[in-house]
Amino acid sequence: MIGKLNHVAIAVNDLDAAVSLYRDVMGAKVSEATEQPDHGVITVFVELPNTKIELLYPLGADSPIAGFLAKNKSGGIHHICYEVDDIHAARDRLLAAGMRILGSGEPRIGAHGKPILFLHPKDFCGTLVELEEV
Ligand code: CO
């Protein structure tokens, strides 16, 4: 069911420093910062030959990553994103297996303009998992 690793998301407390780290120190191609008001974050994508790193920085007072960053002062891996062909079929299969979908359970449009879902970390080895239909 799952396909490629689409990205690994890292929450950061200093976006400029993280961009400089990946662009200047690591020599990666780094996107412009994009505000995602529907998701309460600013995103920057680091393009690697085989996947992407999504740098996440809080946007607004009730950003969903604020609590994570309060606990992880240096930032940290926030979630991983797997690609699926059909997000509704993937959701139904996971629900039938007893897995929990976060939020309403309906896919919403993610940072790439594609339908996404988040899965409960307790069902996935302590890892927050995003599914993206590609
Ligand atoms: Co993501």
Side-chain angles (χ1 to χ4, degrees):
M1 179 183 83
I2 63 170
K4 289 181 179 172
L5 174 67
N6 185 276
H7 60 269
V8 176
I10 301 176
V12 302
N13 271 310
D14 184 336
L15 189 58
D16 290 339
V19 165
S20 175
L21 176 67
Y22 276 93
R23 186 189 56 209
D24 305 330
V25 179
M26 303 289 267
K29 188 174 169 206
V30 173
S31 77
E32 293 296 310
T34 305
E35 294 194 357
Q36 312 273 355
D38 291 349
H39 300 281
V41 292
I42 298 172
T43 54
V44 169
F45 281 95
V46 179
E47 289 183 32
L48 305 182
N50 62 340
T51 191
K52 296 182 281 287
I53 304 297
E54 179 184 49
L55 302 175
L56 295 176
Y57 184 79
L59 175 67
D62 52 357
S63 171
I65 64 168
F68 180 90
L69 284 169
K71 276 182 269 176
N72 299 275
K73 303 281 185 211
S74 304
I77 294 178
H78 183 263
H79 65 267
I80 58 177
C81 177
Y82 300 123
E83 297 181 357
V84 294
D85 292 330
D86 180 335
I87 201 157
H88 288 95
R91 178 202 52 196
D92 293 347
R93 176 175 166 149
L94 291 165
L95 288 173
M99 303 292 127
R100 287 167 285 182
I101 311 291
L102 298 187
S104 70
E106 283 304 312
R108 56 199 188 114
I109 298 302
H112 302 117
K114 309 259 181 67
I116 62 162
L117 284 173
F118 282 95
L119 312 179
H120 201 299
K122 288 192 174 150
D123 296 336
F124 287 90
C125 311
T127 305
L128 179 59
V129 171
E130 179 180 18
L131 296 182
E132 180 175 297
E133 185 174 279
V134 294

